[in-house]
Each structure stands twice: as C-alpha cells, then as structure tokens.
C-alpha cells in the first residue's frame, strides 16, 4: 500500500489547513456540524473493513470534529472518542505484528507511519479537548448555578476520568513498541514524542490531579513519561517542561517529585535528577523573588525530592547552595530542608568516611549560620529542622553545645514562631540527650570536680614518672599514643623492611624470645620506647613464630609479613593489646630500661579513659547549665499573649521535670496561675501538664503509685504562697470531679493525717491541705470523716502545731460551699448545731493558746473564727464567749502586773501604761481577735443573714401564692386589686422593695447596734484608738500593725465610725515609719473604698501617693490594691494613673509584674488605655514628675503595645501633633516625637502628619526630634504602599529636612549676629515634693485635715473670684468639653483645695 504524501505533525491545528508544499498532507475541507455524524459513521464502517489505516481517507472528518468541539453534542464527542480508542488499540496490535517483520516494504511502512501520527494526533487532540472541558466544569461546580447543571457536569466528568485512564494505557502500549522501525531505524521525530507526552503534561496541569482518587492516573502518566525518557530520548525536553510547569503550577511539585524519584530508582534515570536541580540552580537570584508561584513550586519540589531520594540530591547539592545567598527565603528554606534530610538519611552514623564527615559538618555549619537568618521564617524553619535532626539522633556530639547555645539565644527572638520552635528544639534536646536521665547542675558538679582532680593527679604521676626516664623514653611528649605512632611509623616501617636484609653480627644472640608472652610484650614495648625499632621488629618476627595461637601473636602470617609485624607493633604501642593489661609487676630478664618503662603502659590506657570520662561529664555539665539558662527565659514566657508559645512553654517544663532539673519546679509552680486563663487551650495544657507530672507516677503496686503521687504534690506545697495553693486546689478539684484521683490516694492521705502511716509534721500538714483541696470537688471526702478531723487535728495537741490546726479549719470550711442558695431553691444552708464538738474544740484551742506567745496563733485564730461564722448556728454567741474568755485572761494578767509594781524596770517585751504593763503579744492577740470577729460579723450579716432572710421570704411568698391560688378557685378576687398586684409583680417592685427592706435592716444593725455601748465591740474600740493614736507609747512594730489592721476592720462595720476615723487611718498610712502598718492600712483602705466608696473617694490621691513609697513591699501592696479598685471601677482614673505607669520601671521585678498585669487587664476594657494615654504622656513628660527620659521610653514602649486599632493610631497621631503647640521644653518635644515613633503609621496617619505639619515644624531644629520623624518615615517606607502615598512621604521628608536646616541656619545666624551663644532652655530642678523622702514624723496631727467632698469644693470655687493665672504649663486631656465633675489631668491654682494637706511626698530614692 503506497502513499504519495507524508503527514507532518502541526505546531497548531490551523497549519493543516495551509498547503505546506508538495508531498505534505492538507485538510481539504472542514465539515459542518450537521455533516459530522454521517462522516463518523462512514469512518467506523471503513475502520471495520480496512483497520487502523482507514484514517488515511477519513482524517478530515475527525479533524472537523476537533475544529467544532465546543459546539458538537456530547453524544457525538463520546462516540468519536470511543471510535478513536478502538482505532488506536487496533493499530497497536497491528504494529506489534509488523514491526518485527524485516520484509516490510517502504510503502507499507510509510502508510503505517502516517496512520500512526494521524491516529495519535486525533486521540491526543480529543484528550486535550475533554480535559479542557473538565477543567471548565470544575469551575462551574464552584458557581452556585442551577442544580441540574452541576449534576450533569459531575456525571460527565466522572465518565471522562474513567476513559482517560484507558487512553493513557493505550498510549503507553504504543510507546513500549519499537517504533523506531517506522522511521527506518532512525530516531523517532521529536514532534511525535512531544505529541504523546504533551497530553500527559496537560493532564498534570489540572489542579485536582494530586487528589488520592487520581492516584492511578498519576502512576500511569509517570510510567508513560518513563517510556518516553528511556526509549525516545525525551530527557532534554522533559527537563525543560518539568521546570516550566514547576514555575507556573504549584500543585505539580509533589507529583513530579514522586515521579522523578520513581524514574531514578526503578528506571535508573539518575541523571535526570542532576539536570533538574542544575536547571533550578541556574535560575537568576534576582528574578526569583518576583516569581512567587515559581518559588513555591521549586521549593516544594526540592524538599519532597530530598525526602525520597536524599542520596541523589546530595550529589547535586552544590548547584543549589548558591541560592542560600539569594533574597527568596522560600528557596532558602527548601535547600536547608534538603540538607537536613540528607543529614538524617545519608550522613548519619559513626561509620562515615572522612569526606562524608566533612560534608556533614559543612551542612551543619550552614544550618547553624541560618539560625540567625534575617528572615524569621528561615530562622523558624531551621529550628524545626534541627528538632528533626536531634530526634533522629543525627546530630554529632561535638555539635551539641553549639546548637543548644543557638537555641537558647533564639528564645529572645522577636518572632513568636521562632521562639515557639526554639522551645520545641530544647525539649527535643532534653528528650534525646546522650548524657543522663538526670541533668541537675548540682549533682553533676560534684562528680565532675572529683574526676577532674583525679585526672590531674594521674597526669602529675605521669610527669613525675617521666622524670625518672631518659629523655629518649618519650619520643613525642604531649601527644596521645595514636599520634605518637603516626609520627614513628615511617622510621618503624624502614626498620621493619631491613629485617629481610643480612643480620648484623651478634644481634641474634642479644634478642632472645622470653619464656612467656607477657615478658615478651614488655620487652618489645621497652625497645619501642627506647627508639630501637629494628630490634623491636625482629623480636616481634620471632615471637610470631614462637607464640603461634596466643594473643596477640595468634594471627596467621599474611602474604605481606611486613604488614603483620607493623600491626602487632601498633597494637602494643597504642595500648589496645589485651596482653598489656596484666597487673603483675614486670619480671624476667629484661633490661633496666625495660623494667622502668613497662609500668607506664597500663596508666597510659587509664589516663585516656579518665580523659574521656572528664570530657563526658564536662559536656553533660555544660548542657545542664544551658538548660538551666533556658528555664529562666522560658518561665517568663508563660504569660505571653500568644497561646501557642504559652502551650510550648508548659510542655517544655513537663519535659524538664522528667529529667530532674531542680529549677523545673519553679516553672511548674509558675504555670499554676494559668489554670484561671480564659483561653481553653492554655487551661487544658496546664491540666494535661499536671496530669502527666503527678497522675502517672511509677510504681509496681497501687500503694506505691499513691505514695509517689502524694509525695510529689507535697513537694509543691513546701513554702508555697497562698496563691499557689489556691491554683493547685483548682487543679486537684478538677481531677477529683473527673474521678482521676484513685481512692488509694485518699486513703493514704487519711492515714498520714491520723498518723497511722509514719510521716513528718510537714507531710501531715500537706495531707490535710490535699484533703481540703479534694473536698472542694467532692465535699463528702471531708463530710464523712468530720469527727476524725476534729479529734485528730483540733484535740489537746492542737496547741503544739497551730499550722496543722489552721489547715484542718480550712479543710472543714469546704463543707460550707456556696452560702448563697440558688434562686427559687428552698433548701437551707448547711449549718452545724451550736453545741457541736467542732466549736467546743475550736473555742478551747483559741482560748488556751491566747495567753501563749506563738507566731502561728493569729493565723489559726482567724481560720477558726471564719469557720465558726461559716458553719455554726449562733456563731456570734460562740465568738462572744471566746472574746469574753480571752478578755478575762488579759484582765488577770493586768492584775498580776499591778501586783508587781515594785519590780524595778519593765521588760522590753511588755507595754506599759502608767503603773501597769502587759506582754506585747497578749495585747496583739486581743486586737487581732477583736478585728477578726468584727470583720466576720459584718460578713455574716451581709451574706449569710441577708441570704437567709431572702430565702425565708421566698418561702413565705410561695406559700401565700399557693393559698391565694387555692382560694381563687372558690372566690374571685376584686378585679382592681388583682390588677395592681399583678402589675407590681410584673415590674419586680415587690421583690425589689423587699430586698431593699432587708438591706436596710442589715445596714441599721451595723450602723446602730454593733458599735453602741451595749455591744461587746464597744469595749475594745477605745483600746484600738489609743494604740493607733500613740505610736510613740506603743512602739512595737507587730502591735502597731495589728492595731492598724483592726482599726480598718472595725471601720468596715459602720459608715459613721468610718467617716470619723478616716483621718486617723490615712494619717497613719502617710506618717507611720513601719512598712507593715502602711501595707495593712492600704489593704484596709481598699476594702473601705469598696464598702463605702463615697467616703473614701476624697482620699484617693493619698492611695495613689503610696505607689511612690520608699519601701518596695508597700509599693507592691499599693499596686495590687489600686489594680483591684481601678479594674472594678471603684476609683476614677485620670492623670493619676500615671503613677501606676511609673511602676513599670520599678527596680523590683515583682512590682513591674504587678504594673504589667494591671495594664494588660485594663487593655481588655474598650479603649481604656487609648483614652488615658494623653494624660499619662502629659504627666510623665512634666519635668516635675522626675521621670528620666530613658525610663519614659520604656514606659511608653509598653503602653503603646496595646494600641492595635488603626483608628486609635490615627487619632493619637493627630493628638500628639497638637500637643507640640502646648509643649514648652525640649524634653517635652523629644518625648512627644518619641511617642510618634512607637505608632505603626498607616496611610491615613501619614496624611495626619502632613495636615498637622505646622504644629511641629519649628521643633525640628532639635536633632533628636528630627531623627524621630525620620524614623517614622523610614518605617513607613519599609512597609510599602501605593505610589501616590510614597510620593506624599517623600514630600513630607523634604519638608522635614527643609524645616530642620532652616532652624539650624537661623540658630547659627543668631549666634553670629549677637556674638554670644544662644541661651539654653532653663532646666527646672525637680521639686522636693517629687522626690521620695524618708517619712517624717514631725508633722502634727492637726495639720492633716479631711479633704472636702468634690461637690462642696466645686461650690466654693464657683463663689470665689479666680486669682490671676500663673505662667505654668499644663497638659489637659484632649476632650473639648469635660463635665464639671471630672477632674482635669493636673490641678490648676483655682482647683487647689483651700485647706491643703502638708504631707511630704515620698522620695524618689527608695530607702528600703
């Protein structure tokens, strides 16, 4: 069969419509859509008759279908596809039969070649068309169009996917044939190969090809391309095509990585890996950052390829390394990840060759260098890679210390992600450390010191022994035996080679082999030490023959006898021969020098071992020190805003605790307050941490595990603060409620408490505390054993251990639960009868210990009184009895003191008043008891009694309503009365009025009854006031503190009493020289501000004044109290809140923490910090405030971190610019400009700067101000923006430079014209009142007057004529109109109270 033309594969379909010259096939006519069905039928008929060659006459029909594919119906398309699949399948069978026929004529070969190209062209054209149609249908699925349309699209897509798989298999069958025969045995034309592989590449361009359901399609494509690569020289084209697709289609990277890995491993196409990596490596470094999709594709491909075939990537890594210096951090991450995979999978282990070790170290050095990369994503990724390397144990021990140091350094990184991964890396180091399961610095320091000392002694003995030898005995001093042998080897080899030459006369007689192996070894070693190499070699040669079968001469003589001799000599010299470990002293007929040298062999080996041990201990100690350093840094991260960092820090401390690091306990305690976190993830992390640490102890039995758990929990409570115990209680109650604590643990705690199980007093107390914590989750734990608690903890022995008795009271108090019954519930609160044994024991223990000096009696007494008021019926009677008994003891002591008037002198531990005196502790106990009873009586009335009154009223109302409802069925109530009552009930007036009546009843009891002459408290009030008013007479610090606290508690009872004694309370707060008194009164004032806010409000400034107290403990207490008052809106915050801001620079870390916590909580309120910032800036930039400029920067940096909203930023920019108009000193200019640098400037913020340029233009002559504005603009430019915005920034920068230069020029002109330097702005010295001064006691009480209420002050100011204004600088808030009741940021002259309070402000120097 002949063909007069040749079919050339076109570049584009339209080429077939143009005449390309004689002998080339041209499509004569493109059929219409209507003509296509009959044409396909004709083709099918011809195919049945002629086979695959029928396409030679019917090609135009199928070409026309491709031409009109979009307009042709689905049925016609599918019929054409099915027909072409049959044709290609048939042709494949025909070709397999004829290609092996050597007698194939040229005409038939040409016909089959044309038919093959036509059939493949048509089939691949249909594949591409259907693939494009599928892609469009996929886009339609995302369009919420018609439902039926989507269903049709899905059904057609699924049918095409099935057909696509079969077509790819057909094409693969074709390529597996030897098609070169159709081209006359020559190379298959490239266009045909591209035609076959082009469909594969177009299928891979579909973004959904990576899904699991298309796995078979991907594998078929991979094998098809492999056939093209192997048989049809597709390597170069595939390299270019894959590189292009990686650049434009990000999703193909994993597909091609898997394919390339398969080609390299199963088909042996390893060179393709090098070609692809070389092509990527040759990309321009400058062009890559602009090609985001290409970067991601290349990066994913490199990473995935390194995971699958790391050895091949290693051999081509050199072409990629240059990109580590490029700008694209994505590529850097990929290359570094590839290096890590190579290190883990290839360059891992101790058996590496020298070149491989060098490559490994080079890769590790590159990874370490990028731990400090400029991009945070790279730093983070490298830390992740090191984590994997450490977990796979692929990091050499020599690199441990350097990588750990880098990880610790990254804990201070600004990027949260970097910090998180640094914590993970350190945790991985701990879990996979090669040193020890216990990493305590203390435990490691002692053995290290001991072993170092031992090593020094061994070296000293070696040096002293060496002094007895001739200098020739140690040919290479200072070197290890291995290094010495390497130095000796050339001479030894030369001497050994001389063995095979004629012997010297007499030598044979001298060197006779000894009778034993040990003696011979000593003789040979001695010869080596004396540098007689030839004699040593000859003796070794003889010994090999004489001692055959004995170590070390049991080796067979090799063909190279020289190598055998050298091997034995090396083993003897370097100390690796077993025969030299003999502990027997050297004996035999050896020479003197030999006997002197032999004892050194064993110590030499021991010295090496000792050096290795010391190095091991040193590495372990250094590692432990780095972990300790990391602990101190990570413990501070537990209160970061980032949840993930906090979770990682918690998990880190769990890991550290498992390795016995002592400092881990501090971190475990520090995470306790996070149990109150509002973030569920953090709270759950804390619970999981304690669950891992304490609920899974090791032990063979249930009892052993319970003992381990109790012991661990007891350790936490040693020296724990009240806050720590409360947090631990919350955690344990959670575990109890979830039944995660076994009954064996509770049983063991009861045994410890009742002393059935031997334990210390500390462990017994911890057992009671743990039982109390568990009772919060399940009160029946305590309720069912109440008698045991009372008899064992509050018996006669209670006076011996008040701390145990106090914890027993705290545990029993868990029975009270919530004293407020739920609304609508009629159940009475849990109370015990007044004659219960519990209250008898408490009364007796309190009364008995009252007259005994003990520092623990007061805390116990407070717990006992609190418990009585919580659980007892008639609690006030029980406490009144206790007060009477204790008062009687005081009177008896006083009578005894009166009887001893004649005794000379008074003990310093007694207080005297006239002729009588009392022990100080007795008076202190009495005041503390009075204060605690007074406070609990108020709480009892306000909470318990009020709740009980309400409960009883609800019950009465319920019974009344029930009676009314019963009677209403018999007799209808008058309509009008019923309507009024119903209306009142609906409005809630009935319940509200009743609540008011009950509250008024409680208030009247407190105001009129508790402190009148008939009540017991009235007898003690004069004593309290006398001690408070006479600090000189009652000078004991503990007594003064107790009296001050009792005064505050008594003031809680009545507003009238409080009002009349507030002046005394605040006078003591200001003037007392005792920090304990000031702290107690600050706490009392805080409670009074909540109970009687209107009375305490005029004294608020004195509370703020304590924030500058010279004593740190007082400042901390004041900070805590003010935090609670401000956050509860009990104190108005205006400019005085700047005193809280000053605490941010306090030298005490705990006080800084209080301030940080305050502003963190305040930031949760809407715009609170934003509203206060202008006033804070005004006060702190005021020279009278005496805040240093650097300290001002620290404060502002913290406060501005809470400004996150764009609108707030823009408004603050405008406000700060406006403030330049009112600023008068250079310091204020600099402070305001520095604040601008702390704001993230947006486009609108830039416009605000431009619009308010006149406000600060004249201040730009100051270099510091100018530099701040330059910093603002530089940061804005780095952030990028629109071209017009950049132009605006450049314009503003030019204006800034012009104003700055103009200011400098005018200053120079002024100096030149006047001939005198310009006067500097007057530096205002800070006033004495702004500095902290020691508290003075010379002020008189009458000088300290009660401030008038705000309303009265405003009224007097309105009647008074305003004095002339002084030229002072004030910075009020930016509100245009403030209400008359609001205080301005600073008091002006007309606002100063007419009666001033001459209180010396606290000094700037903290004295305590």
């Amino acid at each position: 069969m002949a063909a007069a033309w040749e079919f050339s594969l076109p570049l584009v379909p339209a080429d077939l419509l143009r005449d390309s010259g004689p002998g080339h096939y041209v499509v004569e006519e493109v059929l219409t859509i209507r003509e296509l069905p009959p044409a396909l039928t004709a083709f099918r008929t011809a195919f049945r008759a002629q086979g695959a060659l029928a396409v030679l006459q019917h090609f135009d029909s199928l070409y026309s279908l491709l031409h009109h594919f979009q307009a042709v119906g689905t049925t016609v398309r599918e019929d054409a596809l099915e027909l072409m699949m049959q044709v290609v399948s048939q042709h494949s069978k025909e070709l397999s039969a004829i290609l092996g026929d050597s007698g194939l004529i040229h005409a038939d070969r040409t016909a089959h070649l044309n038919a093959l190209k036509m059939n493949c062209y048509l089939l691949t054209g249909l594949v591409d068309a259907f693939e494009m149609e599928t892609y469009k249908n996929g886009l339609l699925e995302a369009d919420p169009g018609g439902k039926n349309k989507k269903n049709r699209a899905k059904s057609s897509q699924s049918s095409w996917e099935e057909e696509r798989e079969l077509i790819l298999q057909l094409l693969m069958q074709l390529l597996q044939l030897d098609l070169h025969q159709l081209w006359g045995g020559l190379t298959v034309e490239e266009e045909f190969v591209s035609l076959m592989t082009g469909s594969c590449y177009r299928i891979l361009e579909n973004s959904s090809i990576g899904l699991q359901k298309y796995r078979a399609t991907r594998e078929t494509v991979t094998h098809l391309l492999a056939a093209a690569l192997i048989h049809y020289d597709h390597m170069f084209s595939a390299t270019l095509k894959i590189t292009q697709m990686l650049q434009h289609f990000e999703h193909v990277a994993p597909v091609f990585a898997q394919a390339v890995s398969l080609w390299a491993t199963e088909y042996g196409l390893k060179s393709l890996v090098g070609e692809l990596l070389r092509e990527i490596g040759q990309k321009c470094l400058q062009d890559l950052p602009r090609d985001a999709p290409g970067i991601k594709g290349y990066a994913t491909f490199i990473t995935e390829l390194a995971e699958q075939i790391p050895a091949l990537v290693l051999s081509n890594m050199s072409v990629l390394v240059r990109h580590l210096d490029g700008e694209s951090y994505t590529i850097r991450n990929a290359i570094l990840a590839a290096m890590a995979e190579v290190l883990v999978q290839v360059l891992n282990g101790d058996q590496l060759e020298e070149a491989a070790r060098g490559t490994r170290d080079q890769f590790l050095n590159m990874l370490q260098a990028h731990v400090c990369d400029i991009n945070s994503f790279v730093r983070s990724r490298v830390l992740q890679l090191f984590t994997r390397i450490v977990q796979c144990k692929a990091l050499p021990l020599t690199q441990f210390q350097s990588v750990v140091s880098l990880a610790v350094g990254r804990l201070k990184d600004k990027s949260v992600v970097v910090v998180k991964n640094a914590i993970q890396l350190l945790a991985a180091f701990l879990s996979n450390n090669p040193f020890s399961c216990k990493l305590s610095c203390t435990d490691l320091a002692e053995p290290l010191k001991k072993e170092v000392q031992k090593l020094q002694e061994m070296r000293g003995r070696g040096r002293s022994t060496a002094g007895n030898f001739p200098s020739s005995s140690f040919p290479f001093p200072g070197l290890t035996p291995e290094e010495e042998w390497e130095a000796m080897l050339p001479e030894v080899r030369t001497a050994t080679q001389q063995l095979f030459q004629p012997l010297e006369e007499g030598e044979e007689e001298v060197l006779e082999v000894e009778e034993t192996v040990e003696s011979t070894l000593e003789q040979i070693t001695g010869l080596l030490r004396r540098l007689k190499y030839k004699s040593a070699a000859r003796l070794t040669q003889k010994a090999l023959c004489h001692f055959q079968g004995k170590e070390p001469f049991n080796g067979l003589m090799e063909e190279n006898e020289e190598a055998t001799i050298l091997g034995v000599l090396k083993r003897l010299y370097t100390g690796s021969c077993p025969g030299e470990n003999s502990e027997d002293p050297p004996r035999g007929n050896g020479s003197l020098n030999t006997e002197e040298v032999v004892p050194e062999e064993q110590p030499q080996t021991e010295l090496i071992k000792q050096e290795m041990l010391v190095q091991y201990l040193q590495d372990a100690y250094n590692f432990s020190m780095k972990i300790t350093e990391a602990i101190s840094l990570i413990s501070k991260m537990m209160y970061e805003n980032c949840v993930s960092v906090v979770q990682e820090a918690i998990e880190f401390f769990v890991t550290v605790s498992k390795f016995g690091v002592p400092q881990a306990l501090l971190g475990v305690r520090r995470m306790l307050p996070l149990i109150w976190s509002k973030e569920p993830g953090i709270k759950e992390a804390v619970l999981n941490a304690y669950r891992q640490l304490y609920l899974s102890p090791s032990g063979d039995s249930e009892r052993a595990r319970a003992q381990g758990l109790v012991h661990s929990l007891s350790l936490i409570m040693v020296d724990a603060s009240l806050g720590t115990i409360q947090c631990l209680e919350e955690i344990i109650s959670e575990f109890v409620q979830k039944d995660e604590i076994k009954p064996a643990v509770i049983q063991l705690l009861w045994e410890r408490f009742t002393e059935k199980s031997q334990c210390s007093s500390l462990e017994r107390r911890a057992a009671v505390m743990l039982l109390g914590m568990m009772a919060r989750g399940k009160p029946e734990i305590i309720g069912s054993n109440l008698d045991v608690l009372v008899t064992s903890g509050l018996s006669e022995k209670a006076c011996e251990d008040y701390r145990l008795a106090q914890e027993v009271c705290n545990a029993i108090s868990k029975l009270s639960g919530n004293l407020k019954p739920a609304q609508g519930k009629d159940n009475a609160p849990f109370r015990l009868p007044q004659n219960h044994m519990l209250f008898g024991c408490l009364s007796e223990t309190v009364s008995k210990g009252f007259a005994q000096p003990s520092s623990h009696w007061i805390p116990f007494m407070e717990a006992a009184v609190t418990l009585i008021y919580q659980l007892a019926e008639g609690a006030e009677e029980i406490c009144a009895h206790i007060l009477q008994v204790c008062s009687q003891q005081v009177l008896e002591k006083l009578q005894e003191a009166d009887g001893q008037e004649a005794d000379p002198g008074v003990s310093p531990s007694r207080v005297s008043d006239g002729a009588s005196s009392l022990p100080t502790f007795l008076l202190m106990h009495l005041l503390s008891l009075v204060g605690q009873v007074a406070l609990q009586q108020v709480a009892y009335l306000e909470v318990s009694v009020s709740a009980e009154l309400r409960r009883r009223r609800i019950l009465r109302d319920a019974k009344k309503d029930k009676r009314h409802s019963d009677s209403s069925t018999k007799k209808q109530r008058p309509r009008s009365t019923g309507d009024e009552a119903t209306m009142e009930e609906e409005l809630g007036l009935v319940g509200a009025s009743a609540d008011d009546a009950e509250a008024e009843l409680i208030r009247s009891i407190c105001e009129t009854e508790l402190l009148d002459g008939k009540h017991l408290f009235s007898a003690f009030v004069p004593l309290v006031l006398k001690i408070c008013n006479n600090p000189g007479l009652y000078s004991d610090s503990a007594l003064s503190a107790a009296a001050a606290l009792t005064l505050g508690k008594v003031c809680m009872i009545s507003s009238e009493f409080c009002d009349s004694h507030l002046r005394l309370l605040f006078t003591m707060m200001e003037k007392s020289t005792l920090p304990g008194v000031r702290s107690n009164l600050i706490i009392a004032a805080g409670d009074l501000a909540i109970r009687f806010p209107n009375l305490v409000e005029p004294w608020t400034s004195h509370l703020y004044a304590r924030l500058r107290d010279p004593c740190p403990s007082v400042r901390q207490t004041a900070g805590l109290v003010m935090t609670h008052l401000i956050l509860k809106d009990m104190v108005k915050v205006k400019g005085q809140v700047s005193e809280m801001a000053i605490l941010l620079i306090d030298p005490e870390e705990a006080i800084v923490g209080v301030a940080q916590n305050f502003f963190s909580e305040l930031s949760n309120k809407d715009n609170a910090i934003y509203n206060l910032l202008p006033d804070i800036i005004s006060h702190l930039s005021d020279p009278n405030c005496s805040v240093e400029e650097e300290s001002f920067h620290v404060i502002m940096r913290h406060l501005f971190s809470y400004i996150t909203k764009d609108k707030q930023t823009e408004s603050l920019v405008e406000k700060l610019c406006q403030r330049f108009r009112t600023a008068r000193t250079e310091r204020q200019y600099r402070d305001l400009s520095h604040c601008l640098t702390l704001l993230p400037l947006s486009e609108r913020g830039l416009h605000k700067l431009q619009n308010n340029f006149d406000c600060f233009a004249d201040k730009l002559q100051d270099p510091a101000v100018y530099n701040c504005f330059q910093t603002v603009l530089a940061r804005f430019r780095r952030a990028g923006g629109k071209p017009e915005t950049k132009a605006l920034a450049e314009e503003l920068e030019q204006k800034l430079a012009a104003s700055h230069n103009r200011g400098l020029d005018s200053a120079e002109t002024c100096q030149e014209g006047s001939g005198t330097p310009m006067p500097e702005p007057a530096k205002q010295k800070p006033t004495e009142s702004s500095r902290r001064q020691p508290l003075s006691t010379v002020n008189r009480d009458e000088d300290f007057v009660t401030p008038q209420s705000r309303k009265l002050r405003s009224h007097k100011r309105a009647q008074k004529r305003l004095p002339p204004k002084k030229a002072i600088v004030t910075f009020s808030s930016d509100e245009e109109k403030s209400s008359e009741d609001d205080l301005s940021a600073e008091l002006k002259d007309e606002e100063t109270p007419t009666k001033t309070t001459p209180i010396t402000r606290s000094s700037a120097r903290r004295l305590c």
Side-chain angles (χ1 to χ4, degrees), residues 1154-1169:
V1154 170
Q1156 291 175 343
N1157 181 63
F1158 165 72
F1159 285 107
S1160 177
E1161 293 295 328
L1162 189 64
S1163 66
N1164 295 329
K1165 295 190 174 185
D1166 292 338
N1167 302 329
I1169 293 183

Side-chain angles (χ1 to χ4, degrees), residues 895-1123:
Q895 291 173 0
E896 293 178 8
D898 290 342
Q900 299 174 358
E901 288 181 19
D903 292 350
V906 179
S907 172
S909 63
R910 305 171 71 88
V911 292
S912 62
D913 183 11
S916 60
S917 64
L918 278 175
T920 304
F921 79 89
L922 201 63
L923 204 53
M924 182 175 63
H925 284 186
L926 180 61
L927 293 180
S928 300
L929 178 61
V930 170
Q932 183 65 11
V933 173
L935 181 63
Q936 293 301 322
Q937 181 67 34
V938 173
Y940 175 70
L941 290 172
E942 293 282 353
V943 180
S944 301
V945 174
S946 178
E948 181 64 14
L949 289 174
R950 187 173 185 276
R951 187 185 69 84
R952 294 180 181 182
R953 172 172 53 80
I954 292 175
L955 288 177
R956 286 196 306 269
D957 293 345
K959 292 179 181 179
K960 187 184 297 183
D961 292 343
K962 186 176 182 181
R963 286 197 301 270
H964 283 312
S965 62
D966 293 341
S967 62
S968 62
T969 57
K970 301 177 181 180
K971 182 178 180 181
Q972 188 175 357
R973 296 177 59 190
R975 183 181 181 88
S976 60
T977 306
D979 290 344
E980 293 173 0
T982 302
M983 183 178 297
E984 289 184 357
E985 290 176 1
E986 289 178 352
L987 294 175
L989 298 178
V990 176
S993 60
D995 286 342
D996 291 342
E998 293 164 1
E1000 181 61 27
L1001 173 63
I1002 300 296
R1003 192 193 67 79
S1004 64
I1005 293 174
C1006 293
E1007 293 287 344
T1008 60
E1009 297 183 15
L1010 291 185
L1011 290 177
D1012 65 358
K1014 299 178 182 179
H1015 201 278
L1016 192 60
F1017 287 135
S1018 61
F1020 300 100
V1021 171
L1023 176 62
V1024 175
L1025 294 178
K1026 183 175 183 180
I1027 295 176
C1028 290
N1029 279 307
N1030 296 277
L1033 181 60
Y1034 303 95
S1035 58
D1036 185 81
S1037 59
L1039 177 61
S1040 299
L1045 193 57
T1046 302
L1047 175 63
K1049 291 178 178 180
V1050 175
C1051 286
M1052 294 284 289
I1053 298 176
S1054 165
S1055 61
E1056 182 179 351
F1057 183 85
C1058 175
D1059 191 24
S1060 60
H1061 293 89
L1062 272 181
R1063 185 174 73 90
L1064 172 61
L1065 190 145
F1066 279 97
T1067 301
M1068 294 173 64
M1069 187 192 300
E1070 293 282 343
K1071 294 185 177 182
S1072 176
T1073 57
L1074 302 174
V1077 173
R1078 301 201 298 276
S1079 295
N1080 282 351
L1081 290 174
I1082 289 170
I1083 297 172
D1087 292 337
L1088 290 173
I1090 295 176
R1091 181 160 174 79
F1092 306 120
N1094 293 333
L1095 297 179
V1096 180
E1097 188 273 333
W1099 300 87
T1100 303
S1101 60
H1102 303 292
L1103 282 174
Y1104 276 110
R1106 290 302 91 213
L1107 295 172
R1108 294 208 180 197
D1109 195 278
C1111 181
S1113 63
V1114 178
R1115 289 200 306 278
Q1116 183 174 356
T1117 304
L1120 290 170
V1121 170
M1122 295 308 300
T1123 295

Side-chain angles (χ1 to χ4, degrees), residues 693-730:
L693 290 173
Y694 300 108
L695 294 191
S696 302
S698 59
D700 299 331
S701 63
E702 190 76 21
R703 177 79 175 183
R705 288 192 290 271
Q707 288 176 339
L709 190 151
V710 171
H711 177 70
S712 300
L713 290 176
S714 300
L715 284 179
I716 298 184
M717 292 186 290
V718 175
D719 298 330
S721 64
L722 180 60
T724 299
I725 293 175
Q726 288 175 343
C727 297
L728 188 62
E729 179 178 337
E730 177 71 14

Side-chain angles (χ1 to χ4, degrees), residues 243-257:
T243 308
Q244 291 173 1
M245 291 186 68
L246 288 173
Q247 186 174 1
H248 295 95
F249 302 99
E250 184 181 344
H251 68 275
V252 301
V255 178
F256 277 130

Side-chain angles (χ1 to χ4, degrees), residues 678-695:
K678 296 178 182 178
E679 290 288 343
I682 294 179
K683 183 175 181 179
E684 190 59 33
V686 175
L687 288 174
N688 286 335
Y690 276 81
R691 189 176 288 116
Q692 293 179 51
L693 290 173
Y694 300 108
L695 294 191

Side-chain angles (χ1 to χ4, degrees), residues 256-288:
F256 277 130
Q258 188 174 5
V260 172
S261 173
L262 182 69
W263 297 337
T265 54
E266 294 190 12
Y267 292 97
L269 298 171
K270 298 180 180 179
S271 59
L272 180 63
V273 179
E275 292 295 331
L276 287 170
L277 294 180
R278 191 174 296 106
E279 192 69 26
I280 295 174
Q282 290 174 354
K283 295 292 181 182
C284 181
L285 297 178
Q286 287 73 25
D287 295 340
L288 278 178

